[in-house]
C-alpha cells in the first residue's frame, strides 16, 4: 500500500516515547569526530525507522538526512489559539542550529497556504533574547488531512559560544498566499505603469508601480511604490538561466528601493529580466507558543584560511561534516551566486562527491554585512577525514 510521507511523521510523533527510550540507551555522542559517531548514528536511525516501509524511509531522507534521522528525540509541544507547534529533531554544528518541527491547526483549516510568516524570538546558551542575527524557515510539505506543515528552521550561531540548546517563543503566525510570478525584460520595463498582481481572489490594490530604473557603477537601482498593508512584492533580477543577482532592499518616505549588484550595460541587453511576485496575508493569528529545544552536536572538520579567495572574495573558513559542507567568505558584490554553484569534494582515493546548494547566511557587524556563510548538502555521506580538497566556482580549496 502506498504511504503518504506525512503519515510517517504522525506515526513518528505518536511513537516518540518508545524512540526516546531507545535513544536513552545509547551512549552520548562525542564532540570529536570519530568513525564510531557514524556507527552509533546509523544504529539509532535504524532503530527509529525500523517500523517504516522502505519507500517511507526514502521519503524521510528527502527531508531528513543523516545524521538528522538519528536525532528524532524531541517531543515538545505548545498549543494556543488552536495552533499546535511540535518539535521533532534538533542538532547543531559550529555555525548553525537546525530544527525539524510541525505546525498544525487542531481546530480549522487556516494553514493551507504557500508559506507562513512567523514572529519569533529565541534564546540560546551563552546569549540573551534577540542577540542572534538570522534564522530561516523551509516549508517542506503540507498535509491536508492533518492540516499540518512540516518545517525546518536554521539559526545562526555566529555570536554564540558553548551552544547547548534553544528556547523558542512564537508570538504571531500569518498564513501567506503567493501569486504567479511575472517577468519583464529589463529593456522593456514598464516604468511609470501600474502592475496589478495577477490571479483570482487577490486583494484589491495589490501590485506595484516602478518609478525609476537606473544603472550606475555596476548596480541597478529601482524605486517603486509601497504595497498595501498585509501585502508584499518580491523583486528578482534573473539572467537567461534563471539565476538571481544579489539584491538589497530598503524603504523610506513611502518608497521602496531595490538594488542589484554586479549588473553591466552589456548584460541588460542579453536577456536580463525583472521577475515580480506578489504575496498577501490571509489572517493574523496572535498567540503565545514557548518551546525548549535540546540539540545534538554534529562533529565537523574545520579549516581556516588566509590569503585565498573564492569567486573574488577572501575565504575565511571551510568545514565538513558527514552530510554537509560550508564555507565562509568576506562579502563582495555578487558573491551570493556562490550559493547557487554545486560543490565538488575530491576524496584522497580519487573519488569525487557532489554537494548541492542548501542555504546562505549573511553575518552582520556594526559596519554592515561583512561576510557570507554558504552551505551545501552532500549527495551521499562522506567521512570528512577522507576529503583532500573542495572545488567551487573554478577554485580548488586544499584542506591539507
Amino acid at each position: 500500500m502506498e504511504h503518504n510521507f506525512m503519515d510517517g511523521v504522525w506515526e513518528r510523533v505518536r511513537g516518540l516515547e518508545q524512540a526516546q527510550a531507545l535513544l536513552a540507551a545509547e551512549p552520548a555522542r562525542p564532540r570529536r569526530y570519530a568513525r564510531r559517531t557514524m556507527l552509533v548514528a546509523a544504529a539509532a536511525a535504524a532503530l527509529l525507522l525500523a517500523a517504516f516501509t522502505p519507500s517511507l524511509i526514502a521519503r524521510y531522507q528527502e527531508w531528513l538526512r543523516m545524521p538528522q534521522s538519528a536525532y528524532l528525540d524531541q517531543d515538545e509541544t505548545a498549543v494556543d489559539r488552536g495552533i499546535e507547534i511540535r518539535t521533532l529533531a534538533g542538532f547543531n554544528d559550529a555555525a548553525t542550529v537546525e530544527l525539524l518541527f510541525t505546525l498544525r491547526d487542531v481546530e480549522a483549516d487556516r494553514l493551507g497556504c504557500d508559506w507562513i510568516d512567523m514572529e519569533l524570538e529565541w534564546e540560546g546558551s551563552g546569549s540573551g533574547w534577540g542577540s542572534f542575527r538570522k534564522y530561516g524557515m523551509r516549508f517542506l510539505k503540507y498535509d491536508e488531512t492533518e492540516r499540518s506543515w512540516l518545517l525546518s528552521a536554521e539559526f545562526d550561531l555566529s555570536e554564540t559560544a558553548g551552544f547547548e540548546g534553544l528556547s523558542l517563543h512564537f508570538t504571531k503566525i500569518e498564513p501567506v498566499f503567493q501569486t504567479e510570478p511575472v517577468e519583464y525584460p529589463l529593456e522593456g520595463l514598464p516604468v511609470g505603469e501600474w502592475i496589478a498582481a495577477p490571479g483570482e481572489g487577490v486583494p484589491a490594490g495589490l501590485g506595484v508601480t516602478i518609478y525609476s530604473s537606473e544603472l550606475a557603477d555596476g548596480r541597478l537601482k529601482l524605486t517603486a511604490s509601497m504595497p498595501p498593508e498585509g501585502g508584499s512584492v518580491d523583486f528578482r533580477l534573473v539572467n537567461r538561466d534563471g539565476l538571481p543577482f544579489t539584491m538589497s532592499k530598503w524603504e523610506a518616505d513611502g518608497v521602496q528601493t531595490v538594488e542589484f549588484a554586479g549588473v553591466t550595460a552589456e548584460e541588460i541587453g542579453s536577456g536580463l529580466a525583472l521577475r515580480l511576485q506578489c504575496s498577501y496575508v490571509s489572517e493574523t493569528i496572535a498567540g503565545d507558543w514557548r518551546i525548549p529545544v535540546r540539540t545534538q552536536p554534529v562533529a565537523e572538520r574545520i579549516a581556516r584560511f588566509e590569503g585565498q579567495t573564492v569567486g573574488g572574495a577572501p575565504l575565511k573558513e571551510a568545514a565538513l561534516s558527514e552530510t554537509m559542507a560550508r564555507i565562509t567568505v568576506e562579502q563582495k558584490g555578487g558573491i551570493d551566486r556562490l550559493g547557487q554553484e554545486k560543490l565538488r569534494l575530491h576524496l584522497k582515493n580519487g573519488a569525487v562527491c557532489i554537494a548541492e546548494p542548501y542555504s546562505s547566511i549573511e553575518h552582520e557587524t556594526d559596519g554592515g554585512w561583512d561576510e557570507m556563510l554558504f552551505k551545501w548538502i552532500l549527495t551521499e555521506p562522506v567521512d570528512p577525514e577522507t576529503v583532500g580538497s573542495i572545488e567551487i566556482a573554478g577554485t580548488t580549496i586544499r584542506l591539507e
Side-chain angles (χ1 to χ4, degrees), residues 41-346:
L47 288 170
L48 292 173
L49 301 179
F52 300 152
T53 65
S55 63
L56 189 58
I57 293 174
R59 290 175 182 175
Y60 253 106
Q61 297 308 315
E62 180 180 359
W63 312 117
L64 194 61
R65 63 188 184 280
M66 281 290 281
Q68 283 175 289
S69 54
Y71 296 158
L72 282 165
D73 59 351
Q74 308 282 325
D75 192 16
E76 297 290 346
T77 303
V79 181
D80 192 20
R81 300 291 301 275
I83 302 296
E84 174 196 83
I85 301 176
R86 171 169 278 164
T87 59
L88 299 177
F91 64 98
N92 69 278
D93 55 28
T96 58
V97 174
E98 290 201 46
L99 172 67
L100 188 79
F101 67 103
T102 57
L103 191 68
R104 183 166 71 104
D105 192 332
V106 299
E107 293 183 350
D109 188 12
R110 293 168 288 180
L111 303 181
C113 53
D114 291 297
W115 79 84
I116 298 167
D117 277 340
M118 288 178 250
E119 194 168 275
L120 167 65
E121 293 181 303
W122 56 298
E123 183 181 36
S125 54
S127 68
W129 289 107
S131 66
F132 294 85
R133 300 295 187 181
K134 287 285 183 178
Y135 69 88
M137 297 286 183
R138 290 181 180 83
F139 295 85
L140 304 179
K141 189 176 181 67
Y142 182 69
D143 186 296
E144 294 181 357
T145 302
E146 293 284 348
R147 301 194 299 265
S148 175
W149 276 101
L150 177 67
L151 304 93
S152 68
E154 186 176 37
F155 300 85
D156 181 13
L157 291 180
S158 60
E159 298 182 357
T160 302
F163 184 82
E164 295 178 356
L166 286 175
S167 178
L168 302 180
H169 183 201
F170 294 84
T171 56
K172 186 167 66 175
I173 295 172
E174 295 182 329
V176 180
F177 292 85
Q178 192 171 51
T179 66
E180 291 296 320
V182 179
E183 288 191 2
Y184 296 90
L186 209 56
E187 287 183 306
L189 200 62
V191 175
E193 299 180 15
W194 168 252
I195 303 173
E200 297 181 1
V202 177
L206 183 60
V208 68
T209 298
I210 300 174
Y211 297 137
S212 66
S213 172
E214 177 184 354
L215 177 65
D217 300 324
R219 304 184 73 86
L220 177 67
K221 183 169 75 173
L222 304 176
T223 60
S225 60
M226 295 288 294
E229 184 176 355
S232 65
V233 180
D234 180 51
F235 298 83
R236 295 290 178 92
L237 183 65
V238 297
N239 61 19
R240 282 179 294 186
D241 297 324
L243 296 178
F245 285 70
T246 303
M247 186 196 77
S248 56
K249 179 180 176 182
W250 63 94
E251 300 171 355
D253 301 325
V255 174
Q256 51 183 334
T257 302
V258 183
E259 279 195 356
F260 300 97
V263 182
T264 65
E266 290 75 19
E267 285 181 302
I268 289 180
S270 63
L272 293 191
L274 183 68
R275 180 179 297 165
L276 300 176
Q277 192 165 26
C278 296
S279 306
Y280 59 95
V281 174
S282 61
E283 65 176 305
T284 297
I285 307 170
D288 185 12
W289 301 266
R290 298 175 185 265
I291 302 180
V293 179
R294 302 177 309 279
T295 62
Q296 298 273 8
V298 176
E300 292 185 296
R301 177 187 178 189
I302 299 176
R304 294 177 174 85
F305 300 86
E306 291 185 6
Q308 182 164 354
T309 62
V310 176
L315 173 65
K316 300 184 69 174
E317 183 178 276
L320 294 173
S321 67
E322 298 167 15
T323 58
M324 298 292 294
R326 62 180 168 86
I327 65 172
T328 303
V329 298
E330 292 184 13
Q331 185 173 350
K332 302 289 183 182
I335 200 66
D336 278 8
R337 296 193 191 184
L338 270 183
Q340 299 150 15
E341 299 270 356
K342 290 186 178 182
L343 182 145
R344 298 164 64 88
L345 301 182
H346 293 268

Side-chain angles (χ1 to χ4, degrees), residues 339-372:
Q340 299 150 15
E341 299 270 356
K342 290 186 178 182
L343 182 145
R344 298 164 64 88
L345 301 182
H346 293 268
L347 308 189
K348 296 175 184 178
N349 63 6
V352 176
C353 179
I354 304 299
E356 300 287 344
Y358 184 70
S359 67
S360 63
I361 295 175
E362 297 172 298
H363 287 171
E364 186 183 47
T365 64
D366 293 338
W369 304 113
D370 74 335
E371 65 182 30
M372 290 287 296

